């Protein structure tokens, strides 16, 4: 590549440096959790091992797509998508900081992921939670969660006309 602006030649970090730069705000203060920082660093390291430790502004959507496709051959779609998502986060944060003009990850499609099977608590756990509930309202919430399989957020969005009423032990 031919650069006419020598500042750009030295301003763009390599892939191995990009996660550290993306982990701090414009004042140099870390603004993500340590776990998120490790996830970003790990993903960028995996990318650098595959395509070379090039400068982030040399990364192309095609390079990312090929890397993502190669990942899919050796790992699950969930894992491949997680690594691509981390790279996309790094790129987006560097775009916000003005290090990149545009994110090369923007047009790279994610792989279809299998639907996750919900995890249910055992009937013993359900009954223990029901016994521990302090009042009829709390027991009703536990019963609704158990009977519907929904999450707490689902309970919050329910309305009375959508509910079927029944009794348990006279309540």
């Amino acid at each position: 590549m031919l650069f006419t602006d020598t500042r750009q030649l030295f301003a763009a970090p390599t892939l191995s440096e990009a996660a550290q730069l993306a982990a701090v705000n414009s004042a140099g203060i870390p603004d993500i959790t340590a776990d998120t920082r490790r996830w970003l660093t790990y993903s960028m390291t995996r990318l650098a091992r595959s395509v070379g430790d090039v400068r982030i502004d040399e990364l192309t959507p095609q390079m990312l797509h090929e890397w993502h496709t190669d990942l899919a051959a050796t790992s699950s779609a969930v894992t491949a998508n997680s690594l691509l998502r981390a790279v996309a986060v790094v790129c987006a944060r560097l775009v916000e900081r003005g290090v990149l003009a545009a994110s090369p990850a923007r047009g790279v499609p994610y792989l279809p992921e299998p639907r996750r099977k919900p995890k249910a608590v055992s009937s013993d756990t359900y009954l223990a939670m029901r016994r521990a509930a302090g009042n009829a309202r709390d027991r009703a919430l536990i019963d609704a969660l158990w009977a519907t399989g929904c999450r707490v957020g689902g309970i919050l969005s329910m309305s009375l006309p959508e509910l079927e009423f029944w009794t348990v032990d006279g309540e």
Side-chain angles (χ1 to χ4, degrees):
M1 287 187 176
L2 177 65
F3 290 95
T4 56
D5 180 356
T6 56
R7 285 181 305 138
Q8 182 179 2
L9 179 63
F10 298 106
T14 62
L15 295 178
S16 62
E17 300 166 334
Q20 300 308 313
L21 184 59
V24 296
N25 64 22
S26 59
I29 300 169
D31 61 351
I32 61 173
T33 67
D35 286 340
T36 300
R37 184 182 207 137
R38 279 190 293 278
W39 171 58
L40 299 179
T41 301
Y42 174 74
S43 300
M44 295 304 289
T45 301
R46 290 277 307 260
L47 176 61
R49 269 193 255 141
S50 178
V51 302
D53 197 16
V54 298
R55 289 194 335 266
I56 190 90
D57 59 348
E58 295 174 338
L59 191 60
T60 66
Q62 186 61 35
M63 291 166 74
L64 278 175
H65 177 69
E66 289 172 7
W67 172 67
H68 190 231
T69 302
D70 290 345
L71 283 173
T74 59
S75 59
S76 72
V78 173
T79 298
N81 286 344
S82 175
L83 293 169
L84 177 60
R85 194 171 293 110
V87 172
V89 167
V90 168
C91 291
R93 290 177 67 91
L94 294 179
V95 167
E96 288 173 9
R97 297 267 312 276
V99 174
L100 283 175
S103 172
R106 191 168 192 178
V108 181
Y110 291 95
L111 299 166
E113 295 182 14
R115 292 184 59 101
R116 292 185 183 166
K117 293 181 181 179
K119 296 178 185 174
V121 297
S122 69
S123 58
D124 290 339
T125 301
Y126 157 67
L127 292 173
M129 290 169 57
R130 194 169 195 288
R131 282 190 299 274
N135 55 42
R137 176 191 165 272
D138 293 346
R139 282 190 301 277
L141 284 172
I142 302 265
D143 290 342
L145 289 168
W146 175 260
T148 62
C150 75
R151 297 177 179 171
V152 174
I155 291 285
L156 295 174
S157 66
M158 283 184 188
S159 63
L160 284 175
E162 297 171 335
L163 300 179
E164 176 184 334
F165 292 94
W166 43 275
T167 61
V168 172
D169 298 331
E171 295 182 29

